[in-house]
Amino acid sequence: MMTFTVSGIVNNSGDNNQSTNQKVRRWYDTDPILLEVINLMALAKEEAKTYATKLIKGVEAQVSPEVLAQVTARLENPNRPQNRWYDKEPVLAKAMELLQLMPPEAQRVAALQFIDALKAKQSPVAYGILKEVFNLADAQAEEADLSQEEAKITKS
């Protein structure tokens, strides 16, 4: 049985491939595979919804009702962030909450399962395009971060 708690969100920075100098802004930034999958899910929302439904069913079969009740309470909290791409779709929001609470090893397995499902559904060309769009967006975000850092240094 999988064990994880709502209050004990795991920091998996110990098994990442990123530089320790890089800023981690989101819980999934520490694992490059997980980061890729979250971004691919944002680009392929229909596939993400199908996957999210399967993920929820799989996790619900493995965790205690108390954990599920706590996740539901977090989702129903009116003060929770609601500006993320997945907040507008309840099944995606719930899947992301559950994914966030999983141990790092389970997160990685779930991420790899989504990649496999996406590759099976998409043609190799379509999957390649999604990956290229993700890589471009990632490069642009990195450039923006560098520009902000340079601006801070210039002001100092």
Side-chain angles (χ1 to χ4, degrees):
M1 176 175 271
M2 228 186 290
T3 58
F4 52 95
T5 64
V6 172
S7 59
I9 295 175
V10 179
N11 177 1
N12 56 353
S13 58
D15 16 348
N16 66 26
N17 296 331
Q18 294 182 341
S19 159
T20 53
N21 295 335
Q22 255 181 335
K23 285 189 270 182
V24 175
R25 293 183 288 189
R26 300 164 300 201
W27 61 270
Y28 50 85
D29 283 340
T30 58
D31 184 335
I33 299 291
L34 193 57
L35 174 62
E36 177 181 354
V37 165
I38 300 299
N39 285 296
L40 287 173
M41 288 175 76
L43 295 170
K45 287 189 178 86
E46 287 308 310
E47 289 85 353
K49 285 185 215 175
T50 301
Y51 171 73
T53 302
K54 292 177 183 175
L55 177 73
I56 291 168
K57 286 180 184 173
V59 172
E60 285 177 341
Q62 298 290 320
V63 299
S64 71
E66 294 83 22
V67 170
L68 294 175
Q70 290 175 334
V71 168
T72 301
R74 283 174 64 164
L75 289 170
E76 292 172 351
N77 179 354
N79 296 324
R80 78 177 174 88
Q82 296 191 21
N83 56 341
R84 299 167 299 192
W85 66 268
Y86 51 84
D87 288 324
K88 293 167 185 60
E89 185 63 44
V91 70
L92 290 174
K94 185 172 186 178
M96 294 298 282
E97 286 288 327
L98 291 171
L99 190 60
Q100 181 179 6
L101 299 175
M102 290 179 177
E105 306 79 35
Q107 288 176 342
R108 182 162 278 230
V109 167
L112 293 170
Q113 287 174 346
F114 178 74
I115 289 174
D116 291 344
L118 190 59
K119 281 182 181 177
K121 183 167 177 151
Q122 302 281 335
S123 70
V125 172
Y127 178 76
I129 290 170
L130 278 174
K131 240 182 114 62
E132 205 49 46
V133 168
F134 161 69
N135 289 337
L136 180 62
D138 194 39
Q140 289 172 344
E142 234 176 84
E143 285 178 26
D145 285 347
L146 286 174
S147 295
Q148 286 177 353
E149 289 297 319
E150 288 174 2
K152 286 180 185 175
I153 291 170
T154 306
K155 287 180 182 178
S156 297

